[in-house]
Amino acid sequence: MKHIALTVLAATALAAPLTASFASSAQAEDAICYNCPPQWADWASMLEAIETEIGVSLPHDNKNSGQTFAQLVAEKDSPVADVAYYGVTTGIKAGKEGLVEAYKPAGFDEIPEGLKDPEGKWFAVHYGTIGFFVNVDALGGAPVPQCFADLKKPAYQGMVGYLDPSSAFVGYAGAVAVNLSFGGDLQDFDPAIEYFSELAENAPIVPKQTSYARVVSGEIPILFDYDFNAYRAKYEEDGNFEFVLPCEGSVRVPYVMSLVGNAPNGETGKKVLDFILSDKGQAIWTNAYLQPARPVELPAEVAEKFLPASDYARAQAVNYAEMEKAQAGFGERYLNEVK
């Protein structure tokens, strides 16, 4: 599906299917994945498939990217986790801090350059586009917002949510989208600080962790979130849900994984990463309305459920290394000037 592929994918031909096979183990092995929450990106199906296909059991985990990084730092001398999943900026940071081990799963070479560490310290597993995940029935008669600017209107008092951008990666990605939309760049976050300061007058809800269920229940009628979560609700939940790609523009962002350095079950962790980048693993992401890391076409029945190409044309890729460099500084400014 051309309109949801990142620019860097456009010139990449479809890859040949991987030849590796994944035989189920007679006895399940255990491994620990930090930040693999079942309600996010359909990790529920992925965790189930990992256990069914390769016999590895991963307990559920509800950390966000920032919490995952902090835990890896705290446990650096005695690691607990085997693999980690986080936003791309956190993955880059984990690689720089020596928290992860270089590993190139089968299929690594098919991930476009710029979306993986050349040594394999982190690599994209899928992509999403930031926008509004809207529970239409919970709007109390207010129109579905179409722009970032709309959310400052009195009609949306107490209805808008976004994850804490000083901690959760999706929150920071939303802040980057806002900032670029109002004329900022990765060196100047003044527009984002101004926007969130003004939005604070509308009593936004600012959770620290994924809040899919809170949107579905109507507790948070409008959430800055990825398209894949909104599409999942639209097509799989009871209710009236929409994904809106803001009129001002947005960003497309990869999520990445790493093998934890000195992991207690490192070989099992490698099996998990191999499966996630396999044909079967990548197909699971597409069922969850995600663009896979390897350049694989979305199934037609999934592709037709996305917004049209004209909407996705407003979303851009960014320099993710520069985005990582700016993250801590923006987080400090947000806490000092907005929160």
Short mmCIF file of all heavy atoms in Angstrom, two decimals, residues 182-208:
data_model
loop_
_atom_site.label_atom_id
_atom_site.label_comp_id
_atom_site.label_asym_id
_atom_site.label_seq_id
_atom_site.Cartn_x
_atom_site.Cartn_y
_atom_site.Cartn_z
N PHE A 182 3.23 23.29 13.32
CA PHE A 182 3.10 24.73 13.59
C PHE A 182 4.41 25.48 13.37
O PHE A 182 4.64 26.53 13.95
CB PHE A 182 2.57 24.94 15.01
CG PHE A 182 1.14 24.51 15.17
CD1 PHE A 182 0.81 23.32 15.79
CD2 PHE A 182 0.11 25.28 14.65
CE1 PHE A 182 -0.51 22.91 15.92
CE2 PHE A 182 -1.22 24.89 14.78
CZ PHE A 182 -1.53 23.70 15.41
N GLY A 183 5.26 24.93 12.52
CA GLY A 183 6.44 25.66 12.07
C GLY A 183 7.73 25.40 12.81
O GLY A 183 8.75 26.03 12.51
N GLY A 184 7.74 24.48 13.76
CA GLY A 184 8.96 24.16 14.48
C GLY A 184 9.81 23.14 13.74
O GLY A 184 9.46 22.68 12.65
N ASP A 185 10.94 22.79 14.31
CA ASP A 185 11.78 21.73 13.77
C ASP A 185 12.43 21.00 14.94
O ASP A 185 12.12 21.28 16.10
CB ASP A 185 12.82 22.28 12.79
CG ASP A 185 13.71 23.36 13.39
OD1 ASP A 185 14.07 23.25 14.59
OD2 ASP A 185 14.05 24.31 12.68
N LEU A 186 13.34 20.10 14.66
CA LEU A 186 13.91 19.27 15.71
C LEU A 186 14.95 20.02 16.56
O LEU A 186 15.50 19.45 17.50
CB LEU A 186 14.51 18.00 15.11
CG LEU A 186 13.47 17.05 14.49
CD1 LEU A 186 14.14 15.88 13.79
CD2 LEU A 186 12.49 16.56 15.55
N GLN A 187 15.20 21.27 16.22
CA GLN A 187 16.06 22.11 17.04
C GLN A 187 15.26 23.21 17.76
O GLN A 187 15.76 23.83 18.69
CB GLN A 187 17.15 22.78 16.19
CG GLN A 187 18.26 21.84 15.74
CD GLN A 187 17.83 20.91 14.63
OE1 GLN A 187 17.21 21.36 13.66
NE2 GLN A 187 18.14 19.64 14.74
N ASP A 188 14.02 23.40 17.35
CA ASP A 188 13.19 24.47 17.91
C ASP A 188 11.81 23.90 18.26
O ASP A 188 10.99 23.66 17.37
CB ASP A 188 13.05 25.62 16.91
CG ASP A 188 12.05 26.68 17.37
OD1 ASP A 188 11.75 26.73 18.58
OD2 ASP A 188 11.57 27.44 16.50
N PHE A 189 11.57 23.71 19.56
CA PHE A 189 10.30 23.14 20.02
C PHE A 189 9.37 24.19 20.62
O PHE A 189 8.40 23.85 21.30
CB PHE A 189 10.55 22.01 21.03
CG PHE A 189 10.81 20.68 20.39
CD1 PHE A 189 12.09 20.33 20.00
CD2 PHE A 189 9.78 19.78 20.17
CE1 PHE A 189 12.35 19.11 19.41
CE2 PHE A 189 10.01 18.55 19.57
CZ PHE A 189 11.30 18.21 19.19
N ASP A 190 9.66 25.45 20.36
CA ASP A 190 8.79 26.50 20.89
C ASP A 190 7.33 26.34 20.48
O ASP A 190 6.43 26.52 21.31
CB ASP A 190 9.29 27.88 20.46
CG ASP A 190 10.54 28.31 21.22
OD1 ASP A 190 10.91 27.63 22.20
OD2 ASP A 190 11.16 29.32 20.82
N PRO A 191 7.04 25.99 19.20
CA PRO A 191 5.63 25.84 18.82
C PRO A 191 4.91 24.74 19.62
O PRO A 191 3.74 24.91 19.99
CB PRO A 191 5.70 25.50 17.33
CG PRO A 191 6.96 26.13 16.87
CD PRO A 191 7.92 25.93 18.00
N ALA A 192 5.60 23.63 19.90
CA ALA A 192 4.97 22.55 20.67
C ALA A 192 4.72 22.99 22.11
O ALA A 192 3.65 22.70 22.68
CB ALA A 192 5.84 21.30 20.64
N ILE A 193 5.69 23.66 22.71
CA ILE A 193 5.51 24.13 24.09
C ILE A 193 4.34 25.10 24.16
O ILE A 193 3.50 25.02 25.07
CB ILE A 193 6.80 24.80 24.60
CG1 ILE A 193 7.94 23.76 24.72
CG2 ILE A 193 6.55 25.49 25.93
CD1 ILE A 193 7.68 22.67 25.72
N GLU A 194 4.24 26.00 23.19
CA GLU A 194 3.13 26.94 23.16
C GLU A 194 1.80 26.22 22.99
O GLU A 194 0.81 26.52 23.68
CB GLU A 194 3.32 27.94 22.02
CG GLU A 194 2.21 28.97 21.90
CD GLU A 194 2.42 29.96 20.77
OE1 GLU A 194 3.48 29.90 20.11
OE2 GLU A 194 1.52 30.79 20.53
N TYR A 195 1.77 25.22 22.10
CA TYR A 195 0.53 24.48 21.85
C TYR A 195 0.07 23.74 23.11
O TYR A 195 -1.10 23.85 23.51
CB TYR A 195 0.73 23.49 20.71
CG TYR A 195 -0.50 22.64 20.43
CD1 TYR A 195 -1.53 23.11 19.63
CD2 TYR A 195 -0.64 21.38 21.02
CE1 TYR A 195 -2.67 22.34 19.39
CE2 TYR A 195 -1.77 20.62 20.80
CZ TYR A 195 -2.78 21.10 19.98
OH TYR A 195 -3.90 20.34 19.76
N PHE A 196 0.95 22.99 23.75
CA PHE A 196 0.54 22.22 24.91
C PHE A 196 0.21 23.12 26.10
O PHE A 196 -0.64 22.76 26.93
CB PHE A 196 1.62 21.20 25.28
CG PHE A 196 1.66 20.02 24.34
CD1 PHE A 196 2.71 19.85 23.46
CD2 PHE A 196 0.63 19.09 24.33
CE1 PHE A 196 2.75 18.77 22.58
CE2 PHE A 196 0.65 18.00 23.46
CZ PHE A 196 1.71 17.85 22.58
N SER A 197 0.84 24.27 26.18
CA SER A 197 0.48 25.23 27.22
C SER A 197 -0.94 25.74 27.02
O SER A 197 -1.71 25.87 27.98
CB SER A 197 1.47 26.40 27.22
OG SER A 197 2.78 25.97 27.53
N GLU A 198 -1.30 26.01 25.77
CA GLU A 198 -2.66 26.47 25.47
C GLU A 198 -3.66 25.33 25.64
O GLU A 198 -4.77 25.53 26.15
CB GLU A 198 -2.71 27.02 24.05
CG GLU A 198 -1.90 28.30 23.88
CD GLU A 198 -1.83 28.76 22.44
OE1 GLU A 198 -2.30 28.02 21.54
OE2 GLU A 198 -1.29 29.87 22.19
N LEU A 199 -3.27 24.12 25.24
CA LEU A 199 -4.16 22.97 25.39
C LEU A 199 -4.43 22.67 26.86
O LEU A 199 -5.51 22.16 27.21
CB LEU A 199 -3.55 21.74 24.71
CG LEU A 199 -4.42 20.48 24.61
CD1 LEU A 199 -5.68 20.75 23.80
CD2 LEU A 199 -3.63 19.33 24.00
N ALA A 200 -3.48 23.02 27.73
CA ALA A 200 -3.65 22.78 29.16
C ALA A 200 -4.87 23.51 29.71
O ALA A 200 -5.47 23.08 30.71
CB ALA A 200 -2.40 23.22 29.92
N GLU A 201 -5.27 24.59 29.06
CA GLU A 201 -6.46 25.33 29.48
C GLU A 201 -7.73 24.52 29.26
O GLU A 201 -8.79 24.83 29.82
CB GLU A 201 -6.54 26.65 28.72
CG GLU A 201 -5.36 27.58 28.94
CD GLU A 201 -5.21 27.99 30.40
OE1 GLU A 201 -6.25 28.29 31.02
OE2 GLU A 201 -4.07 28.00 30.91
N ASN A 202 -7.64 23.48 28.43
CA ASN A 202 -8.80 22.64 28.13
C ASN A 202 -8.81 21.37 28.97
O ASN A 202 -9.53 20.42 28.64
CB ASN A 202 -8.82 22.29 26.64
CG ASN A 202 -10.05 22.85 25.94
OD1 ASN A 202 -10.85 23.55 26.55
ND2 ASN A 202 -10.21 22.54 24.66
N ALA A 203 -8.00 21.32 30.02
CA ALA A 203 -7.99 20.20 30.97
C ALA A 203 -7.77 18.85 30.28
O ALA A 203 -8.60 17.94 30.40
CB ALA A 203 -9.27 20.16 31.79
N PRO A 204 -6.65 18.69 29.57
CA PRO A 204 -6.40 17.41 28.90
C PRO A 204 -6.10 16.30 29.90
O PRO A 204 -5.70 16.55 31.04
CB PRO A 204 -5.18 17.70 28.04
CG PRO A 204 -4.45 18.78 28.78
CD PRO A 204 -5.54 19.64 29.37
N ILE A 205 -6.30 15.07 29.46
CA ILE A 205 -5.98 13.88 30.26
C ILE A 205 -4.61 13.39 29.78
O ILE A 205 -4.41 13.19 28.58
CB ILE A 205 -7.04 12.79 30.04
CG1 ILE A 205 -8.43 13.33 30.40
CG2 ILE A 205 -6.73 11.55 30.87
CD1 ILE A 205 -9.57 12.49 29.87
N VAL A 206 -3.66 13.20 30.71
CA VAL A 206 -2.28 12.89 30.31
C VAL A 206 -1.80 11.62 31.02
O VAL A 206 -1.08 11.68 32.02
CB VAL A 206 -1.34 14.07 30.61
CG1 VAL A 206 0.04 13.82 29.98
CG2 VAL A 206 -1.91 15.39 30.07
N PRO A 207 -2.17 10.46 30.52
CA PRO A 207 -1.69 9.21 31.10
C PRO A 207 -0.23 8.94 30.71
O PRO A 207 0.29 9.57 29.79
CB PRO A 207 -2.62 8.16 30.50
CG PRO A 207 -3.06 8.75 29.21
CD PRO A 207 -3.10 10.23 29.41
N LYS A 208 0.40 8.02 31.41
CA LYS A 208 1.79 7.67 31.12
C LYS A 208 1.90 6.41 30.27
O LYS A 208 2.95 6.16 29.69
CB LYS A 208 2.57 7.47 32.42
CG LYS A 208 2.83 8.77 33.18
CD LYS A 208 3.73 8.53 34.37
CE LYS A 208 4.04 9.85 35.10
NZ LYS A 208 4.83 10.77 34.25
#
